[in-house]
Amino acid sequence: KGNQKMKVTLIGINAKYIHTNLAVRYLKAFANDLDYECEIMEFSINDQIERILEEILKSKSDIVAFSCYIWNIEYVKAVSSLIKLVNSNIEVLYGGPEVSFDCEDFLHKNVGDYVIEGEGEETYKEFIEWKISLSKKSLINAKAINEKKIDFKNILGLYFKRLDKIYYNGQRPLMDINKVIFPYYEEEFTNKIVYYEASRGCPFSCKYCLSSSTHGVRFLNVERVKKELKFLADKKVRLVKFVDRTFNCNPEYSIEIWRFLINLDCETMFHFEISADLINQKEIDVLADTPKGRFQFEVGVQTTNPIVLNNISRFVTFDEISDKVTKVKEIGTINQHLDLIAGLPGENYESFRNSFNDVYGIHVEVIQLGFLKLLKGSEMINESELWGMVYAPYPPFEILKTRDISYEELVKLKRVEKMVDKYHNSQKFDNILKYFVEKFNTPFDFFYELGLFFYEKGYLGIKISSVDYYKIFIEFNEEKLKADNFVLKEIVKFDYLQYNKKKWIPDFLTRDMDKVAEREIREKLVKSNVIDDVFGKEFLSSKKNLSNIHVEKYMIDILEYVDNNTVCIENHYLAYDINDEEHIKDIT
């Protein structure tokens, strides 16, 4: 190419469009001072492979580098194969957790030239320096380059293929995390999730997790963290997700960052993975000042069965977790996500059912049901035969059955997971769920029966409208419970109107009031000045705001049901602010 600079394209194929790839940004930033051309391309697994291929080839790169994860590795292998078929001169570099634990085998079985093992920043930079030195050998400064003694055999953490033979330069020691370069200064993040890392490593050794393969935790300088988080908040990033495995493993560190973020003037939400049992009273006192919508905590419960917890080297009790989660819940401003994993060693169907009911009983915002994945590099994969684990031989390597839980039982749990995710986790059906859950022996039994109903009706295999997700409850009540729908329809109407357009009500719901009656009620509210008390005097500063009030008649005291779970059959009228889902007033 003569004097033309070498070009590298770093590829992130994300699980969703709204995600961003932190790894490729780290690599580009860490080698930003080198004399080469580098660009980042991001796609999602929902993109067509042909489009990804076309965009990559259009870049005219010498080297294409892929960030490899369990959710994208099949896409990466397919795209890499096509790249080599079109232009075999393009070199392919792989890195990331999905190729870091079987690098040699991966290179043998797939096209491509290089794999970076483990942490990539230092290895990638040395690799680029070496490639630049090769491209500049004919230039005047070749002597200076040779004096640096750049040799690919000295690049630790690098696997490379030459004539179908694989070479390895040895393991690279863990780097000083404070050498990592903050990669976000030159970007805008409209409607994107931004990932941030304040520490690497985990103090625990859970057998199913890759973090257990590296011991010890390394922290970024806390003042640097505060500066970088303020930058993201000032950029009005909607959600910053910390990738730290256990953010609160050092309480003094987490307290200082939490206190800083609590006092920030911003609208950004910060998501942390924490170990709830580690939270101390000092942290609770600091968190008590958290503004609503500022923090979101993800807590890995996995199971509440103490024997199963011991089997996976998690030395904690559910009582400890429940106590701390409840204390955070009492603060009232922090969303909490609690995770469970099905298919763990020693856990049968009934044990998982109990775990679900235990977690549901805390009444947190989100319950995430996951299924065990046998990850390369984890200790769990070495014990798979011991526990009779059968799992898919391709990503995401998900459990199919164990000696304790059958395939058929896991299929049932899949249906429960779909119901919980759609109905509980969306938080748009809370009063409907409250109505049904008390009619079953346990919450799990309700979600199981609802999932079975979806399956029997064929709803799991088709696309359902947002309105139909409400209507199904009416069908379920009639067909499964053989119950009357009078009260249920009023409750469904209330949940529906909170989160959907208020100028139209689905046909399956009862509206005992026409538009003329509604208009008359609104006018009475204005004349009597009651509307000032309901929505405030500023609301009616313009006459057009009157149309932003929706009035709905209920044939039960719906707010009494919402507050106290008591059904009173009597007419009630609610006024809604169409532009504010939380602005509802009883005007009976």
Side-chain angles (χ1 to χ4, degrees), residues 162-371:
R162 290 291 181 270
L163 299 175
D164 292 328
K165 189 171 183 181
I166 310 298
Y167 299 87
Y168 176 48
N169 291 339
Q171 191 171 32
R172 180 179 291 276
L174 296 177
M175 70 182 294
D176 176 1
I177 188 177
N178 282 287
K179 290 182 178 178
V180 169
I181 309 297
F182 181 67
Y184 292 126
Y185 281 126
E186 298 179 359
E187 291 194 63
E188 295 292 333
F189 296 99
T190 305
N191 298 321
K192 289 277 191 176
I193 296 173
V194 171
Y195 292 89
Y196 184 82
E197 180 180 53
S199 64
R200 287 184 182 176
C202 183
F204 304 114
S205 300
C206 305
K207 292 181 179 179
Y208 56 83
C209 181
L210 285 182
S211 296
S212 62
S213 62
T214 304
H215 299 288
V217 184
R218 293 160 288 155
F219 298 90
L220 280 182
N221 176 276
V222 71
E223 293 304 320
R224 168 183 169 172
V225 171
K226 289 191 279 190
K227 175 186 174 185
E228 292 170 354
L229 293 178
K230 185 177 186 310
F231 172 84
L232 294 174
D234 289 344
K235 283 279 190 178
K236 302 190 184 305
V237 172
R238 181 173 60 86
L239 175 62
V240 174
K241 249 186 148 173
F242 280 70
V243 297
D244 305 53
R245 303 310 302 162
T246 309
F247 179 79
N248 65 322
C249 63
N250 180 337
E252 295 305 314
Y253 189 80
S254 58
I255 282 174
E256 187 164 355
I257 293 173
W258 281 340
R259 183 181 285 125
F260 173 78
L261 294 177
I262 286 168
N263 292 319
L264 267 186
D265 180 16
C266 72
E267 297 180 1
T268 302
M269 176 179 278
F270 299 89
H271 177 106
F272 304 92
E273 289 187 38
I274 67 165
S275 189
D277 57 295
L278 296 182
I279 294 179
N280 58 37
Q281 189 57 47
K282 188 175 179 182
E283 287 173 294
I284 293 292
D285 292 341
V286 169
L287 292 170
D289 295 325
T290 305
K292 186 174 178 59
R294 182 64 50 86
F295 289 164
Q296 188 168 273
F297 287 169
E298 184 173 344
V299 179
V301 178
Q302 320 316 4
T303 176
T304 67
N305 185 324
I307 296 174
V308 179
L309 285 169
N310 187 68
N311 290 343
I312 58 175
S313 298
R314 277 180 63 84
F315 306 110
V316 63
T317 67
F318 178 64
D319 286 343
E320 293 175 278
I321 294 173
S322 177
D323 176 61
K324 299 300 174 59
V325 167
T326 300
K327 286 180 177 177
V328 171
K329 179 178 170 61
E330 289 169 353
I331 293 170
T333 58
I334 300 173
N335 283 343
Q336 295 187 90
H337 297 193
L338 268 57
D339 299 344
L340 289 170
I341 298 178
L344 291 173
E347 181 148 75
N348 59 24
Y349 182 83
E350 190 61 27
S351 172
F352 186 87
R353 175 177 177 268
N354 292 336
S355 292
F356 178 87
N357 289 325
D358 289 339
V359 169
Y360 193 90
I362 309 177
H363 302 294
V364 295
E365 286 76 15
V366 173
I367 301 174
Q368 296 177 163
L369 305 187
F371 293 79

Side-chain angles (χ1 to χ4, degrees), residues 537-553:
K537 292 182 179 180
E538 293 182 2
F539 185 84
L540 290 178
S541 59
S542 170
K543 285 187 177 180
K544 68 179 182 180
N545 282 345
L546 186 60
S547 63
N548 288 333
I549 301 172
H550 173 84
V551 177
E552 190 64 38
K553 179 182 176 182

Side-chain angles (χ1 to χ4, degrees), residues 10-200:
L10 300 167
I11 308 293
I13 302 178
N14 303 319
K16 294 181 180 179
Y17 168 77
I18 60 170
H19 294 175
T20 53
N21 187 294
L22 178 59
V24 294
R25 287 172 170 81
Y26 268 159
L27 297 184
K28 182 179 180 182
F30 199 75
N32 207 34
D33 59 331
L34 299 183
D35 187 24
Y36 80 118
E37 187 178 346
C38 180
E39 77 170 310
I40 289 173
M41 285 187 178
E42 286 188 280
F43 307 94
S44 85
I45 56 174
N46 297 311
D47 284 312
Q48 290 186 335
I49 288 178
E50 291 77 11
R51 186 183 89 82
I52 297 175
L53 174 67
E54 180 182 356
E55 293 299 316
I56 291 172
L57 293 176
K58 195 190 300 181
S59 70
K60 302 292 184 184
S61 296
D62 302 290
I63 301 170
V64 174
F66 289 97
S67 180
C68 303
Y69 299 89
I70 197 168
W71 65 80
N72 73 6
I73 189 63
E74 295 303 316
Y75 277 74
V76 167
K77 291 193 290 189
V79 174
S80 300
S81 297
L82 294 175
I83 288 172
K84 284 290 191 179
L85 286 172
V86 176
N87 186 348
S88 61
N89 293 322
I90 296 175
E91 293 189 305
V92 176
L93 167 70
Y94 305 98
E98 190 51 32
V99 297
S100 280
F101 296 96
D102 61 348
C103 306
E104 183 172 352
D105 184 62
F106 182 83
L107 267 188
H108 265 306
K109 293 178 177 177
N110 295 281
V111 303
D113 308 278
Y114 310 95
V115 173
I116 290 178
E117 174 190 55
E119 290 182 335
E121 290 89 352
E122 291 182 330
T123 303
Y124 175 77
K125 185 170 184 178
E126 290 179 17
F127 170 77
I128 296 299
E129 286 182 309
W130 167 61
K131 297 299 288 186
I132 291 172
S133 72
L134 293 181
S135 67
K136 289 187 174 181
K137 275 187 175 179
S138 62
L139 302 182
I140 299 173
N141 64 348
K143 182 180 179 182
I145 291 171
N146 289 334
E147 286 173 356
K148 291 181 71 175
K149 297 180 180 178
I150 297 173
D151 188 333
F152 73 93
K153 293 179 182 177
N154 297 327
I155 305 174
L156 298 177
L158 183 68
Y159 283 79
F160 53 97
K161 185 191 295 181
R162 290 291 181 270
L163 299 175
D164 292 328
K165 189 171 183 181
I166 310 298
Y167 299 87
Y168 176 48
N169 291 339
Q171 191 171 32
R172 180 179 291 276
L174 296 177
M175 70 182 294
D176 176 1
I177 188 177
N178 282 287
K179 290 182 178 178
V180 169
I181 309 297
F182 181 67
Y184 292 126
Y185 281 126
E186 298 179 359
E187 291 194 63
E188 295 292 333
F189 296 99
T190 305
N191 298 321
K192 289 277 191 176
I193 296 173
V194 171
Y195 292 89
Y196 184 82
E197 180 180 53
S199 64
R200 287 184 182 176

